[in-house]
C-alpha cells in the first residue's frame, strides 16, 4: 500500500463531503435544472409552518434521481403519485448525512401518464390475454427438495433457511445464486429457473427481500415472466415489502409477501404434523380394538356354529335325543304295565267277587236237577231228587216240602 504523502491533506468524510457540496452547489449549471422522469417511492410528510414536504425519486429507463420539495408544495396544480411522469425544476444539492446528491425542486408539472407505468400496464394486459396469469398449480404438501433462487448473501435466503429448519427440517434446500436487482438480474433469474428444472426439486421459491420499486424492476420483465410460466415445477414468488404486485407475482403459482412467508407456505409445520399423527394413531388404535372385538365375537359365533354343525356334536345330540326317547319309552312301558297290573288286579277282584265258588264259601249252595241249576222252587216237585253243591263236597237230597215265596 502506498503511504500517505506528507504534503497531502487528510480529510475526514464530513470534510470531503462539504467540499463536494460546495463544488456542486456552487456550480452555475446545476443551480437551475429541469428534469423529466417518472415518480416512484413517493412520500408526503408534514413540514414546518403547516406545509407538507415531498420526498420522491425521478427515474427513466436507465437512471434514477433522489428529489425533495420543501417550498411551493401548496401551490402545485397536480397531486403527485407513483407512476406519474413529471417535469421538475430546481437545483442540485448534496445531502451530507449520506454523501448523496439530490434535486431540490421548486416547481413540478405533469408530463403525461408515465411511459414506464404505461409500458408495464401494457405488458400486464398482453400477458393476461396470453393466459400467463391463469396457471396456478397445487404445491406439494410435503416437498422433499426446494430450489431457492435468490442472492446467496441477502437476508432472504437466511430467512427461508431459518423458517424451513424450524418448521420442516427434513426438506432439502438447494440455493441457486442469482442477481436480484440491476441489469444482470433478469438473465440471472431466468438461468436460475432453468437450472432448477434439473436438480430433482419439487418446488421453487424465487425472490428477494424489500427494496424500492426500482430495485424490483427485474421482476416485471417479460423474459422472467415467460421463464416462470414455462417451469415444470410449481413456483412461489417471494418479492418482499413492495405494495405493488409484480408481474412475477402474477405468473407464479403462488405469491407470498415476504421470503419468510414463502417458506411458511412451502412446508408444513412439523409440530402440527406430530399432533395429526398422534390423533391418527389414537383413531387407528380405537379402530383396531373395535375390529379385534368384532373379530373375537365373530370367531366365537363361528366356533359355536362349527360345534353345532360338527358330526361329533350331531352324534352327541342324537345320542342325547335317543337317551331321552329311551327314557320316555321306558317310562311309558312302566306306566302301561302299572296300569295293566292295576286293571288286572281290579278284574281279578271283580271275577273273584262274582265267582260261584266264592259265593259257596260264604255258606251258600247250588241246587241242580238233572244237571241243571235250579233257579226257582217252581221247577221242583216233592219227591224230586236234587244234587246240592256245597263249598266243600256235594250231596243228593229228596224234596220233602216246597214253599213258594
Amino acid at each position: 500500500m502506498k503511504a500517505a504523502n506528507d504534503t497531502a491533506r487528510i480529510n475526514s468524510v464530513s470534510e470531503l463531503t462539504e467540499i463536494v457540496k460546495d463544488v456542486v452547489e456552487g456550480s452555475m449549471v446545476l443551480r437551475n435544472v429541469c428534469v423529466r422522469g417518472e415518480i416512484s417511492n413517493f412520500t408526503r410528510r408534514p413540514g414546518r409552518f403547516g406545509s407538507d414536504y415531498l420526498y420522491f425519486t425521478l427515474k427513466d429507463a436507465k437512471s434514477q434521481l433522489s428529489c425533495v420539495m420543501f417550498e411551493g408544495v401548496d401551490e402545485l396544480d397536480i397531486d403527485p403519485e407513483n407512476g406519474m411522469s413529471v417535469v421538475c425544476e430546481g437545483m442540485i444539492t448534496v445531502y451530507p448525512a449520506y454523501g448523496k446528491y439530490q434535486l431540490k425542486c421548486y416547481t413540478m408539472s405533469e408530463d403525461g401518464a408515465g411511459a414506464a407505468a404505461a409500458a408495464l400496464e401494457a405488458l400486464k394486459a398482453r400477458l393476461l390475454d396470453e393466459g400467463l396469469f391463469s396457471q396456478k398449480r397445487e404445491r406439494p404438501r410435503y416437498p422433499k427438495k426446494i430450489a431457492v433462487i435468490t442472492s446467496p448473501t441477502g437476508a432472504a435466503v437466511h430467512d427461508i433457511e431459518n423458517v424451513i429448519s424450524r418448521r420442516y427440517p427434513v426438506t432439502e434446500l438447494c440455493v441457486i445464486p442469482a442477481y436480484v436487482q440491476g441489469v444482470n438480474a433478469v438473465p440471472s433469474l431466468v438461468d436460475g429457473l432453468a437450472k432448477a428444472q434439473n436438480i430433482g426439486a419439487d418446488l421453487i421459491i424465487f425472490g428477494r427481500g424489500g427494496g424500492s420499486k426500482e430495485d424490483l424492476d427485474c421482476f416485471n420483465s417479460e423474459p422472467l415472466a415467460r421463464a416462470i410460466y414455462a417451469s415444470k415445477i410449481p413456483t412461489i414468488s417471494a418479492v418482499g415489502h413492495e405494495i405493488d404486485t409484480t408481474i412475477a407475482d402474477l405468473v407464479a403459482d403462488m405469491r407470498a409477501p415476504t421470503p419468510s412467508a414463502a417458506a411458511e407456505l412451502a412446508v408444513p409445520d412439523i409440530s402440527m404434523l406430530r399432533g395429526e399423527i398422534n390423533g391418527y394413531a389414537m383413531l387407528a388404535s380405537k379402530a383396531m380394538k373395535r375390529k379385534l372385538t368384532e373379530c373375537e365375537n365373530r370367531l366365537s359365533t363361528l366356533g359355536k356354529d362349527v360345534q353345532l354343525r360338527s358330526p361329533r356334536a350331531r352324534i352327541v345330540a342324537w345320542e342325547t335325543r335317543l337317551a331321552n326317547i329311551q327314557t320316555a319309552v321306558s317310562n311309558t312301558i312302566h306306566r302301561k304295565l302299572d296300569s295293566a297290573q292295576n286293571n288286572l288286579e281290579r278284574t281279578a277282584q271283580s271275577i273273584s267277587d262274582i265267582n260261584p265258588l266264592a259265593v259257596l264259601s260264604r255258606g251258600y249252595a247250588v241246587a241242580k236237577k238233572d244237571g241243571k241249576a235250579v233257579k226257582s222252587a217252581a221247577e221242583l216237585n216233592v219227591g224230586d231228587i236234587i244234587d246240592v253243591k256245597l263249598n266243600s263236597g256235594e250231596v243228593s237230597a229228596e224234596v220233602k216240602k216246597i214253599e213258594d215265596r
Side-chain angles (χ1 to χ4, degrees), residues 232-292:
K232 298 178 181 179
I233 303 169
T235 56
I236 298 179
S237 172
V239 183
H241 306 302
E242 176 57 42
I243 297 175
D244 295 331
T245 301
T246 67
I247 290 179
D249 294 327
L250 298 173
V251 179
D253 295 290
M254 181 172 291
R255 180 200 178 192
T258 64
S260 296
E264 291 183 356
L265 289 173
V267 296
D269 189 341
I270 197 169
S271 60
M272 296 182 64
L273 289 179
R274 289 194 182 101
E276 290 182 9
I277 291 172
N278 290 336
Y280 290 143
M282 291 180 62
L283 291 175
S285 177
K286 291 180 180 179
M288 184 64 71
K289 290 180 180 179
R290 184 169 59 251
K291 192 65 176 177
L292 285 174

Side-chain angles (χ1 to χ4, degrees), residues 39-328:
I39 295 177
S40 66
N41 300 321
F42 179 79
T43 303
R44 182 188 294 269
R45 296 178 184 172
R48 297 178 181 178
F49 312 113
S51 178
D52 290 341
Y53 290 168
L54 306 183
Y55 301 87
F56 56 95
T57 299
L58 285 180
K59 69 171 186 175
D60 57 20
K62 296 181 179 180
S63 302
Q64 55 185 340
L65 174 64
S66 295
C67 304
V68 296
M69 188 170 187
F70 301 135
E71 302 173 0
V73 175
D74 294 338
E75 287 77 29
L76 289 177
D77 296 329
I78 62 174
D79 187 11
E81 61 181 11
N82 287 325
M84 180 181 291
S85 182
V86 296
V87 174
C88 294
E89 182 179 359
M91 66 176 292
I92 300 297
T93 63
V94 174
Y95 183 45
Y98 292 145
K100 181 180 180 181
Y101 76 90
Q102 60 188 10
L103 176 64
K104 184 178 180 181
C105 301
Y106 301 135
T107 65
M108 179 190 300
S109 60
E110 189 171 8
D111 186 39
L120 178 60
E121 292 304 318
L123 177 59
K124 286 183 180 180
R126 181 158 54 84
L127 297 180
L128 176 64
D129 290 340
E130 292 184 30
L132 266 69
F133 300 162
S134 61
Q135 177 176 260
K136 303 301 175 186
R137 294 166 293 186
E138 290 290 334
R139 69 187 188 280
R141 187 176 182 186
Y142 307 106
K144 298 178 181 179
K145 188 174 186 178
I146 300 176
V148 180
I149 305 172
T150 188
S151 170
T153 59
V157 68
H158 299 295
D159 292 342
I160 293 173
E161 288 174 345
N162 290 336
V163 171
I164 290 183
S165 64
R166 171 175 50 84
R167 286 175 60 89
Y168 198 63
V170 297
T171 293
E172 179 185 355
L173 284 183
C174 179
V175 178
I176 300 177
Y179 292 107
V180 290
Q181 70 181 63
V183 295
N184 296 320
V186 173
S188 179
L189 290 167
V190 170
D191 182 61
L193 283 165
K195 291 178 179 177
Q197 308 301 311
N198 303 312
I199 61 173
D202 46 13
L203 184 64
I204 296 173
I205 299 175
F206 67 88
R208 54 162 290 162
S212 66
K213 186 174 182 180
E214 289 72 25
D215 293 337
L216 306 181
D217 275 347
C218 60
F219 293 98
N220 283 317
S221 71
E222 182 175 355
L224 179 59
R226 295 193 180 279
I228 296 170
Y229 183 78
S231 173
K232 298 178 181 179
I233 303 169
T235 56
I236 298 179
S237 172
V239 183
H241 306 302
E242 176 57 42
I243 297 175
D244 295 331
T245 301
T246 67
I247 290 179
D249 294 327
L250 298 173
V251 179
D253 295 290
M254 181 172 291
R255 180 200 178 192
T258 64
S260 296
E264 291 183 356
L265 289 173
V267 296
D269 189 341
I270 197 169
S271 60
M272 296 182 64
L273 289 179
R274 289 194 182 101
E276 290 182 9
I277 291 172
N278 290 336
Y280 290 143
M282 291 180 62
L283 291 175
S285 177
K286 291 180 180 179
M288 184 64 71
K289 290 180 180 179
R290 184 169 59 251
K291 192 65 176 177
L292 285 174
T293 300
E294 293 175 357
C295 290
E296 288 175 353
N297 294 337
R298 178 62 177 164
L299 185 60
S300 177
T301 301
L302 290 174
K304 293 178 180 179
D305 189 55
V306 168
Q307 290 180 354
L308 292 175
R309 293 175 181 272
S310 68
R312 179 170 297 180
R314 298 181 69 180
I315 290 173
V316 171
W318 280 108
E319 289 177 345
T320 302
R321 185 177 179 185
L322 180 60
N324 292 336
I325 293 174
Q326 289 175 340
T327 300

